[in-house]
Amino acid sequence: MNECYYDKRMDFFYNMTNTDTVDEWTGPKLIVVLCFGTFFCLFIFISNSLVIAAVVKNKRFHFPFYYLLANLAAADFFAGIAYVFLMFNTGPVSKTLTVNRWFLRQGLLDTSLTASLVNLLVIAVERHMSIMRMKIHSNLTKKRVTFLIISIWAIAIFMGAVPTLGWNCLCDITACSSLAPIYSRSYLVFWSILNLVVFFIMVVVYIRIYMYVQRKTNVLSSHTSGSISRRRTPVKLMKTVMTLLGAFVVCWTPGLVVLLLDGLNCTYCGIQNVKRWFLLLALMNSVMNPIIYSYKDDEMWSTMKRMICCSSEDKSQDRRSSRVPSTVLCRSTDTSGNYIEDGIIQGTICGKGDLGDKGNS
């Protein structure tokens, strides 16, 4: 029967697995990492807090999609907390941690990643279902959105706690990984492949959405005399989707690949030399999300600016502000007067009166 080491400190596992904790990171390299990490975490806290506050404050955002957007901001805010905890428990401090504290450190990171990823997947699937069924309104009610949000966090917390619940190598040192000395290599393989598969699903979903919207836009444009801005919307949509996918690929794929290589016990891949830089790269995803999902939304950006400047605009200027985000495709009318919802990234829906006003302008 294998002996278990629940009462050992992390230096025991680092030594047993021959894991290099890179003691020279106590010098300038560690200072650079901590400075960048602190700056990014502060930006994550401020920007995502503004997104959540904007959704609460602006009644135009009281729609299911924006509730999911606020939950994504909450997940990124939680990621900032996880990174702060990591910064105070990394480097030489890693060897002094207890097993439970090390599990907490990694569990926070895993939970934040899962929450963000599942939230993005829910948004993608919801938009896909609504558009493919040509629904004017989203099928999601407030109760369903609440259930989805609770489910997202339940899944995230469970995935973050899986190693603590037993999928670890505390009783089998030979199965320990190099990057995570008390995680089983089999778990790292499972974790990395699962996230890469979810990412692939998101890519397929957004590609299908874009192809469908582009096809419908081309069909409708031959029967309607839509405005120039509406005809340019597919180009804007393509740029937004490519930004979303590109940001996720650049920020998370390198780290997931490194975890996969470690799980496969690749001893010649030099993963110890790049792990901290890839972790900072993953942190950038939580920095970019509020920019991609909020800054490109004119109404969201206006609301955030008003909160930052602590000044209120007069009603006439508020009426002149864009009611439709730049990344949203308004429904175009065909010859029979039917509507097709082409909103992909956002949940805002253009009304008949809006189309009529635009047509007369």
Side-chain angles (χ1 to χ4, degrees):
M1 189 175 193
N2 293 334
E3 183 180 359
C4 297
Y5 303 93
Y6 295 103
D7 58 340
K8 298 293 185 179
R9 289 191 175 272
M10 288 306 301
D11 58 342
F12 172 81
F13 298 98
Y14 281 114
N15 294 332
M16 289 294 294
T17 57
N18 295 320
T19 301
D20 183 12
T21 56
V22 196
D23 291 333
E24 63 267 21
W25 280 74
T26 55
K29 290 184 179 180
L30 182 60
I31 295 176
V32 171
V33 171
L34 291 178
C35 288
F36 274 97
T38 301
F39 173 78
F40 289 146
C41 287
L42 287 175
F43 181 84
I44 288 172
F45 292 144
I46 296 173
S47 60
N48 286 286
S49 296
L50 286 173
V51 172
I52 297 173
V55 173
V56 173
K57 181 178 180 180
N58 195 332
K59 293 184 178 180
R60 295 176 182 174
F61 298 146
H62 291 182
F63 294 100
F65 176 84
Y66 282 100
Y67 297 148
L68 291 174
L69 179 65
N71 189 55
L72 176 62
D76 289 325
F77 188 95
F78 184 83
I81 297 176
Y83 285 119
V84 170
F85 188 84
L86 174 65
M87 286 192 298
F88 286 97
N89 294 275
T90 190
V93 182
S94 298
K95 288 187 175 182
T96 66
L97 298 178
T98 62
V99 168
N100 290 334
R101 192 171 182 85
W102 196 94
F103 272 135
L104 176 61
R105 189 188 81 173
Q106 298 304 122
L108 290 175
L109 292 173
D110 295 345
T111 300
S112 63
L113 167 61
T114 305
S116 296
L117 190 59
V118 176
N119 207 105
L120 289 171
L121 180 63
V122 169
I123 292 174
V125 173
E126 186 275 334
R127 288 290 85 199
H128 182 271
M129 292 176 61
S130 297
I131 292 162
M132 294 303 172
R133 295 177 181 177
M134 296 186 293
K135 296 289 186 180
I136 297 177
H137 299 285
S138 173
N139 289 331
L140 291 178
T141 62
K142 289 185 178 180
K143 290 184 178 180
R144 290 181 179 178
V145 172
T146 302
F147 174 77
L148 283 175
I149 291 175
I150 294 175
S151 300
I152 288 170
W153 284 103
I155 294 172
I157 293 173
F158 174 76
M159 292 302 299
V162 165
T164 309
L165 296 176
W167 201 343
N168 54 61
C169 62
L170 293 177
C171 298
D172 186 8
I173 296 298
T174 59
C176 291
S177 67
S178 174
L179 291 179
I182 55 178
Y183 276 13
S184 297
R185 288 193 298 271
S186 59
Y187 175 75
L188 290 187
V189 172
F190 163 78
W191 172 256
S192 56
I193 291 179
L194 176 63
N195 285 280
L196 289 173
V197 168
V198 173
F199 166 70
F200 177 76
I201 293 173
M202 288 177 57
V203 172
V204 173
V205 169
Y206 276 115
I207 289 176
R208 281 178 55 86
I209 289 174
Y210 174 71
M211 293 178 62
Y212 178 83
V213 170
Q214 189 177 45
R215 185 171 64 253
K216 287 295 181 180
T217 302
N218 292 336
V219 172
L220 292 174
S221 62
S222 62
H223 298 284
T224 60
S225 56
S227 63
I228 296 177
S229 61
R230 202 159 63 227
R231 292 177 182 178
R232 289 177 178 173
T233 306
V235 178
K236 295 180 180 179
L237 175 62
M238 180 181 65
K239 291 181 179 179
T240 301
V241 173
M242 293 306 296
T243 302
L244 293 172
L245 299 180
F248 192 86
V249 170
V250 172
C251 293
W252 278 111
T253 301
L256 293 175
V257 171
V258 165
L259 288 178
L260 179 61
L261 292 175
D262 186 32
L264 296 175
N265 200 23
C266 180
T267 57
Y268 304 100
C269 298
I271 56 180
Q272 291 290 340
N273 299 324
V274 296
K275 62 179 183 180
R276 284 177 174 82
W277 299 113
F278 284 172
L279 183 60
L280 282 177
L281 191 60
L283 172 63
M284 286 298 297
N285 186 239
S286 295
V287 174
M288 298 174 68
N289 276 341
I291 299 174
I292 298 173
Y293 282 89
S294 304
Y295 180 76
K296 288 180 176 295
D297 185 326
D298 294 338
E299 183 66 26
M300 177 71 74
W301 179 236
S302 299
T303 304
M304 292 172 65
K305 283 196 299 184
R306 287 198 296 268
M307 290 189 298
I308 293 174
C309 298
C310 298
S311 62
S312 59
E313 300 178 354
D314 57 19
K315 293 183 179 181
S316 61
Q317 184 176 358
D318 186 68
R319 284 195 296 267
R320 290 196 301 268
S321 64
S322 175
R323 296 184 62 187
V324 184
S326 61
T327 56
V328 177
L329 288 178
C330 297
R331 292 165 292 169
S332 300
T333 55
D334 57 16
T335 54
S336 62
N338 294 325
Y339 289 94
I340 298 179
E341 182 188 28
D342 286 328
I344 305 299
I345 307 300
Q346 306 292 348
T348 305
I349 300 176
C350 304
K352 257 184 181 179
D354 297 331
L355 290 174
D357 294 339
K358 289 182 180 179
N360 296 330
S361 58

